[in-house]
Amino acid sequence: MVSRTKDLENLDEEALGAMIDPQNLPRHVAIIMDGNGRWAAQKNLPRIAGHRRGIQSVREIVTFSRELGIETLTLFAFSNENWQRPSTEISQLMMLLERYLKQELKTMMKNEIRFRTVGQIERLPASVVRMIRSVEEKTEQNKKMTLILALSYGGRAEVVDAVRRIMEEFQKEKISIKDIDEELFSRYLYTQEVPDPDLMIRTSGEVRISNFLLWQLAYTELYFTKTFWPDFRRKDFLQALLDYQGRERRFGLVGEQASNSGSMQNASSPGSSGKRFLEDLNGGEEREF
Ligand code: FPP
């Protein structure tokens, strides 16, 4: 795999958008939104300023994903490890989260976005849990996109929770040992109802998974960018999508087998369909690039 990032760096949003192949978008994109604190520190601002600015990126990427037709977007907003941060930062993050959900409900309804969460939600403050449940309920019937926030989330904890629940079912004789396979196991994860991510993006230059969707990322394409999350906007997202579209996904097969089975989804080079797609996004206007 050769990364296309270098070639895409100097192109603007219009040019990048024109290159996107709408037939070859990831169905599910997962993002580790990292670098809020460093973004703030670079500007001599308090960490909370980075988180506030990070919410602007969240809004932009959620809306853009919906415009593009991505089915599921999962954002890592608060990890199990984040509980160890200073209590003032935790309460500021919780306040921002509650406010975000309150403000975004209207946009989610307008854009037919279903809201879900993964993680140990019961550990969050009661008012945040109430807000989450209310937004989940109100958006339940929305069909155009699913937005998942990973909150109080850890991949290992998710696997352990799944084992615990499987053992409970076993004790009640609802499942037997021979029933346990990968498909069954997946159904006990928090993400049971969505396909595994096709693309995982991490911002800020860190090249780690950091306990995010450990099971689900088995065959996911990984994309790392140095851009801090508060600076990550439509152009950066398009760069990640184009990099993904330049990759060959083989799922453990050899190239020929994968293309015959239809699983080599991302080998096509974006062409005129991308241009038409961008025109559609721009309200059908004829545009020159
Ligand atoms: C990582 O930056 C980011 C987080 C721990 C939280 C992400 C939260 C937001 C983008 C805002 C709230 C989100 C929603 C959806 C309302 P960091 O603080 O670890 O940055 P650093 O590594 O540079 O210190």
Side-chain angles (χ1 to χ4, degrees), residues 121-137:
I121 303 304
E122 63 287 351
R123 291 183 71 189
L124 300 170
S127 62
V128 178
V129 177
R130 273 198 302 275
M131 181 61 75
I132 287 172
R133 297 302 177 218
S134 154
V135 177
E136 281 180 335
E137 205 180 301

Side-chain angles (χ1 to χ4, degrees), residues 203-220:
T203 59
S204 91
E206 306 293 350
V207 189
R208 287 188 293 277
I209 301 295
S210 296
N211 206 12
F212 187 41
L213 301 174
L214 292 181
W215 173 278
Q216 297 85 341
L217 293 180
Y219 287 102
T220 303

Side-chain angles (χ1 to χ4, degrees), residues 27-203:
R27 289 179 68 195
H28 182 177
V29 179
I31 307 183
I32 302 181
M33 311 182 286
D34 198 8
N36 294 355
R38 277 163 286 164
W39 180 92
Q42 263 188 354
K43 296 179 162 44
N44 283 323
L45 293 168
R47 292 179 61 82
I48 181 74
H51 296 315
R52 269 204 210 102
R53 182 64 172 235
I55 290 185
Q56 289 182 26
S57 302
V58 170
R59 289 203 170 97
E60 189 161 315
I61 298 308
V62 170
T63 313
F64 195 33
S65 298
R66 165 69 177 84
E67 278 174 41
L68 290 166
I70 286 164
E71 288 170 29
T72 307
L73 177 69
T74 300
L75 302 176
F76 202 0
F78 194 84
S79 72
N80 268 343
E81 291 70 31
N82 289 154
W83 288 116
Q84 289 156 32
R85 291 197 175 190
S87 59
T88 46
E89 184 171 345
I90 295 176
S91 30
Q92 285 169 336
L93 275 168
M94 294 301 143
M95 194 193 67
L96 286 179
L97 174 63
E98 201 174 333
R99 197 186 300 160
Y100 167 81
L101 290 173
K102 203 169 168 186
Q103 289 173 347
E104 289 310 289
L105 177 62
K106 222 165 135 189
T107 317
M108 288 186 209
M109 294 311 287
K110 191 175 124 217
N111 290 308
E112 294 173 73
I113 296 171
R114 185 172 72 126
F115 173 73
R116 308 289 297 160
T117 52
V118 290
Q120 296 177 337
I121 303 304
E122 63 287 351
R123 291 183 71 189
L124 300 170
S127 62
V128 178
V129 177
R130 273 198 302 275
M131 181 61 75
I132 287 172
R133 297 302 177 218
S134 154
V135 177
E136 281 180 335
E137 205 180 301
K138 289 183 176 125
T139 61
E140 199 168 355
Q141 299 305 322
N142 292 345
K143 299 267 186 290
K144 296 281 193 225
M145 187 178 98
T146 300
L147 167 66
I148 302 175
L149 286 191
L151 292 164
S152 188
Y153 175 86
R156 288 184 175 179
E158 179 181 26
V159 169
V160 171
D161 278 352
V163 171
R164 204 174 281 134
R165 291 194 320 133
I166 290 170
M167 290 303 288
E168 281 165 8
E169 302 278 69
F170 173 72
Q171 276 178 341
K172 290 183 208 153
E173 296 186 5
K174 287 190 177 163
I175 53 175
S176 65
I177 289 177
K178 67 171 174 26
D179 294 333
I180 301 174
D181 58 13
E182 293 181 15
E183 197 270 322
L184 178 134
F185 194 84
S186 299
R187 282 194 269 126
Y188 284 82
L189 295 170
Y190 307 146
T191 49
Q192 35 168 290
E193 47 188 39
V194 293
D196 290 342
D198 302 293
L199 171 65
M200 196 287 289
I201 300 171
R202 182 173 188 153
T203 59

